[in-house]
Amino acid sequence: MKKVIYIQYSDPVHWPVLMHGAHILAEKKASIMMLGAQNIKEESNRVQFTTHQNIKIKLLGYVSPGLLQKIHYLFFNIWILAHVLIWRPDVVYASEKLVCPIAYLIKKFFGRIKLIYFEPMYAGVGSDIKPKLVREYRKKLAAIADLCMLPNEPRLEKFIEDVGDHGNAIFVYNLPRHQEFEEIPMREQNTKEKLKLFCFGHIGADRLPPELFEALEKLKDEVELVIAGIDSGGMENYSSKINEQIKKRSLENNVNLVGLIKKRSDLLEQCSKADVGLAFTGKSFRPEFRTEGGSQRPFEYMGLGLVLLVTDLKEWEDFFVKDGYGYSCDSESSESIKDILLELHQKKDELYEQGKSNKEKILSEWNYSNEFKKVEKYI
């Protein structure tokens, strides 16, 4: 039985793609230990993820930013090293930038251990990386890791530009596990008056722009929106701004801000009842932050039988709209949003059939079981 240690200075359950990979390996009889640190202070904002019996998760407690957190980070690295020495894994799966220093040392001094580095969020030039040694060790780790994984091709190209081409980097789309959707039935055809939108995950102005609520104000009889999630780190308390929009525009019967649905299975079940998955992204973001495949959310909507509504960025339109998986609009224009929502409201029957095709696409092709095969050969 192979032994795999996942390391990240955060809670791995907040990164579904990590859990998906761990489940795939666990189902193939690998023994998985996930070592991390709680990165969300409020327990009410922590999600719950059902894990395989071969997966064990161990977390250090939450510590607020400051001197104590620096000491905590130092202890975390020692704690990781101790587990490697005692448990003697075959593979270490380093899954975010802050573990680059300890991952480099593990590979340097325990060469027999296969080291996989996965970078879910961009960590190169222009990103906010502290301490500085993390960026230095990111580059060193990239040179000796057995495999470096990025979530899409533009991110791969940017990574190679940052750290050099060592012939060990690939892109692996952040796709969902199809098993999560197999037992969730396709929703009943929408015979109600209103088109139902759903948005989940971290919320902010890029995903839920003010223009959206301006458009909804003009479509009170046609559209309703459910929002399930928590504020993004860079958009502190954006949910209060949403509530202000709801009150200002009298959208109480059209917008339901339910907050975090802690249990992932409950979240997926509720989302599956909607017609359209809202997957806007910021137009001002650099391509490595916004490109398709970097976010799992659109694929999750598809797996639940929803049709996508995305921002009219070329890369998103080429990937999702061109082949009929969804529609696009200018997410910074209330008129553009209004027009597309009105169009979708008028073709609810067509959306149902598109949603069925989307679900089948995820079950048969666009899923992490297929995509993760690129990684398994290195383990």
Side-chain angles (χ1 to χ4, degrees), residues 47-116:
V47 301
Q48 298 174 355
F49 203 112
T50 303
T51 58
H52 190 279
Q53 61 181 5
N54 288 353
I55 299 175
K56 183 176 184 180
I57 300 176
K58 298 174 71 173
L59 299 177
L60 297 182
Y62 175 83
V63 176
S64 299
L67 177 61
L68 191 59
Q69 189 182 61
K70 291 179 173 62
I71 297 171
H72 185 264
Y73 176 64
L74 177 61
F75 176 76
F76 170 80
N77 284 283
I78 296 170
W79 182 65
I80 294 294
L81 185 58
H83 278 83
V84 169
L85 288 168
I86 295 169
W87 207 54
R88 299 176 63 82
D90 301 292
V91 181
V92 169
Y93 199 111
S95 51
E96 54 102 5
K97 59 186 182 291
L98 289 175
V99 297
C100 285
I102 190 62
Y104 172 79
L105 294 176
I106 290 169
K107 184 60 183 175
K108 190 73 174 176
F109 294 104
F110 304 92
R112 69 165 189 83
I113 296 177
K114 290 185 178 180
L115 196 293
I116 295 174

Side-chain angles (χ1 to χ4, degrees), residues 30-268:
S31 181
I32 310 295
M33 182 179 291
M34 307 188 87
L35 303 176
Q38 186 53 256
N39 58 314
I40 294 180
K41 183 177 181 180
E42 300 295 333
E43 188 172 348
S44 60
N45 286 335
R46 299 173 188 171
V47 301
Q48 298 174 355
F49 203 112
T50 303
T51 58
H52 190 279
Q53 61 181 5
N54 288 353
I55 299 175
K56 183 176 184 180
I57 300 176
K58 298 174 71 173
L59 299 177
L60 297 182
Y62 175 83
V63 176
S64 299
L67 177 61
L68 191 59
Q69 189 182 61
K70 291 179 173 62
I71 297 171
H72 185 264
Y73 176 64
L74 177 61
F75 176 76
F76 170 80
N77 284 283
I78 296 170
W79 182 65
I80 294 294
L81 185 58
H83 278 83
V84 169
L85 288 168
I86 295 169
W87 207 54
R88 299 176 63 82
D90 301 292
V91 181
V92 169
Y93 199 111
S95 51
E96 54 102 5
K97 59 186 182 291
L98 289 175
V99 297
C100 285
I102 190 62
Y104 172 79
L105 294 176
I106 290 169
K107 184 60 183 175
K108 190 73 174 176
F109 294 104
F110 304 92
R112 69 165 189 83
I113 296 177
K114 290 185 178 180
L115 196 293
I116 295 174
Y117 174 54
F118 172 51
E119 190 170 278
M121 300 292 289
Y122 179 64
V125 177
S127 62
D128 183 23
I129 297 183
K130 297 177 182 179
K132 290 183 178 180
L133 68 86
V134 170
R135 181 172 287 128
E136 295 170 8
Y137 275 94
R138 173 180 179 256
K139 192 169 185 176
K140 291 181 177 181
L141 177 62
I144 65 172
D146 293 279
L147 178 67
C148 296
M149 292 170 54
L150 290 302
N152 56 48
E153 194 167 8
R155 283 278 307 280
L156 172 62
E157 292 170 356
K158 186 62 178 173
F159 182 78
I160 291 173
E161 180 184 322
D162 288 345
V163 304
D165 189 353
H166 303 287
N168 61 346
I170 63 173
F171 72 90
V172 179
Y173 285 134
N174 285 348
L175 300 177
R177 284 177 71 240
H178 63 284
Q179 291 90 340
E180 287 193 294
F181 308 115
E182 285 176 333
E183 296 182 3
I184 299 177
M186 185 68 190
R187 69 182 182 280
E188 295 181 2
Q189 199 152 357
N190 186 353
T191 57
K192 298 179 181 179
E193 286 297 317
K194 291 181 180 178
L195 177 78
K196 187 170 183 179
L197 312 180
F198 204 100
C199 180
F200 69 78
H202 288 280
I203 59 176
D206 56 320
R207 296 183 176 183
L208 294 161
E211 291 83 0
L212 170 65
F213 301 98
E214 187 178 340
L216 292 175
E217 184 179 17
K218 301 171 185 176
L219 298 170
K220 291 182 179 178
D221 295 328
E222 290 85 11
V223 183
E224 61 182 352
L225 167 66
V226 177
I227 304 168
I230 56 175
D231 296 306
S232 298
M235 297 299 300
E236 194 170 333
N237 206 22
Y238 191 71
S239 57
S240 66
K241 291 180 169 50
I242 293 175
N243 281 320
E244 288 172 9
Q245 289 280 353
I246 293 171
K247 185 175 181 180
K248 174 184 175 181
R249 303 183 186 281
S250 301
L251 292 170
E252 290 84 358
N253 294 325
N254 298 82
V255 179
N256 183 11
L257 179 59
V258 300
L260 178 70
I261 299 176
K262 294 184 66 172
K263 195 172 180 181
R264 181 171 168 82
S265 58
D266 290 344
L267 169 65
L268 297 181

